[in-house]
Amino acid sequence: MEVRRITINIAGRVYPLNVPAAEEETLRKVGKQIENMIKDFEQNFDVRDKQDALAMCALKLGTNAEVVSATYEKTIHSAGERLQQISQSLEETGK
């Protein structure tokens, strides 16, 4: 597995990272998204402190992750129920 050394700039700080090559693009994309979120919070919510902007980013990203997780769980549960129904139907048809 190839590892690359990259730097990500978030809130005016540079973070050197050693990352698997396959994850480089994703990390750069996420870093850019965080920077854009910080700018958005600073412009739209009169946030002047970078730490406050980062805290708001963490809350927003955490909320988004929870929503995605809950949606995923519901989808998996629904798919499981549907598969059980199909299995029952197949068993009844085979009798």
Side-chain angles (χ1 to χ4, degrees):
M1 174 172 61
E2 181 186 356
V3 175
R4 294 191 181 158
R5 183 155 178 85
I6 65 170
T7 56
I8 302 290
N9 187 326
I10 297 175
R13 292 190 180 184
V14 176
Y15 297 92
L17 303 168
N18 293 321
V19 301
E23 294 178 18
E24 179 181 2
E25 185 179 338
T26 301
L27 284 166
R28 289 189 186 281
K29 184 178 177 181
V30 170
K32 245 183 197 186
Q33 288 174 339
I34 292 170
E35 275 296 299
N36 290 335
M37 287 173 69
I38 290 170
K39 287 177 188 172
D40 183 55
F41 285 128
E42 288 174 336
Q43 291 171 355
N44 296 317
F45 298 101
D46 198 30
V47 175
R48 290 185 174 81
D49 183 43
K50 294 286 185 191
Q51 188 165 349
D52 289 341
L54 285 168
M56 292 173 78
C57 287
L59 285 169
K60 185 173 182 175
L61 291 170
T63 301
N64 290 349
E66 283 299 315
V67 168
V68 167
S69 179
T71 301
Y72 176 77
E73 289 294 323
K74 286 179 185 176
T75 301
I76 294 297
H77 182 73
S78 294
E81 286 180 344
R82 184 69 182 129
L83 286 171
Q84 284 179 339
Q85 291 171 352
I86 291 169
S87 179
Q88 275 183 325
S89 294
L90 288 173
E91 285 177 11
E92 290 171 4
T93 304
K95 289 184 180 177

